[in-house]
Every structure is written in structure tokens, then in C-alpha cells.
Amino acid sequence: MRNHLKTLRSARNWSQGDLADELGVSRQSINAIETGKYDPSLPLAFRIARLFEQHIEDVFDDGINEAKET
Amino acid sequence: MPSITFKDAQRRYQKAFAPVMVFYVIFCFAGPVLLQSMLEPPLWVVSLVAIMTALPIAGVFLLVIRLLRETDEYTRKVQTDAILVGGAITLSVTVMWAFLELFEAVPRHDNFPSMILVAPLFFAMWGLAYVFQARHRR
């Protein structure tokens, strides 16, 4: 699943460690999510979206809508 | 938000791990010294010393279980994968070794039971599996 976590984090000038501390998770978790190697659970995805004051689908994109349009 | 953060879970684990290991090292050295100081130690003393020496290993497993329950979901997934791989390798090797001993393909040492190596082998395999998977995740 693609996501805009890195862009949102960079906009706030946060390091991966800063974001990890905000969410109470490991820095490795943030790195794995940003690089698409790990898809977060729904509760963690909601926490990420709320932290950045975004809708969950504005942070995470499963590519379904894109596939429908083409 | 989980009730405990990743860093708090790590701290709780490390704080409890150190005294458990101290207890283990003390019993590893003090146990044999105590038994040798007695001419004919009764069976219950020998059994108690053996169990007390091994008890910290059970303690480490309880700490690991608590850590896995308290840590963040990604760490839990990565560590659980490594534990599964480490456990599978350990069980495969020990079963193979058991049959080798049974068929007398390898010598059996009465003074050094091979079962004592199972826990260290598991921890080593768990560590190797973690490092191997970490390299693959890059």
C-alpha cells in the first residue's frame, strides 16, 4: 500500500524518530511504513491520520480508485 | 494509543532482564560450589539447585512474552517471525541430534547432557534469524 507519510512528516520537519515518539512506536516501524515494507493496522493508520489532521485515505492509498479510473 | 509506548516497553524489559541474568550467573557458579561443599547432598537439594539455576531462563521467556505483548505492532511482527524461524531451526537440529544419539552415530556424554545446549541454541538461532530478516527488509 502506498502512503504519503514521508511527505507529511517532512512538511513538519520531523525526523522518523520524532514521528515514532509521537505515535509511541519504534523508528523502524516508521521506516518500514514509509518504504512500503509494512502496512500498519487500522488503529495505527487512524492514529497516523489523526496526528496529521488528515483523512485516512489521504494518507494511505491502496490503489483501488486509481485502478477503477483506468 | 496503546497503554504503553515502544520505548517504555523496551525500558521495562531491560530493567527486568538485568536482575534475572544476575540471578542466573550467581546460580551457575554458586550451585556447583554448594553441591561440592556437601559430601552427599540429598536429592531434594540437588533438584532444588538444578531448578533454581534453570528458573531464570523461564523468567527470560516470560519477559519476552510481556515485551511482545507491550511493544508496537511492527516490532511484534518482526520478533515473532524471528522467534518462529529460530524455534523451527532449534527443534529441527535437536530432533536430528536426538536420533543421531539414539542410533549411536554420535557419542553421548553422561557428564554433559546435550539438552543443556537447547536454550542457548534457540537464543542464537533467534538472533541470527532476526539479523538475516533485517538484512532482507532493507
Side-chain angles (χ1 to χ4, degrees), chain A residues 21 24 26 29 37-38 41, chain B residues 2 6-7 72-73 137-138:
Chain A
D21 287 344
S26 64
S29 305
K37 288 171 184 159
Y38 176 68
S41 67
Chain B
F6 166 77
K7 282 187 177 172
D72 68 84
E73 58 185 56
R137 281 191 299 272
R138 275 184 205 155

Side-chain angles (χ1 to χ4, degrees), chain A residues 2 62-70:
Chain A
R2 286 178 295 180
D62 62 359
I64 295 290
N65 290 338
E66 205 173 278
K68 277 181 185 170
E69 284 166 15
T70 54

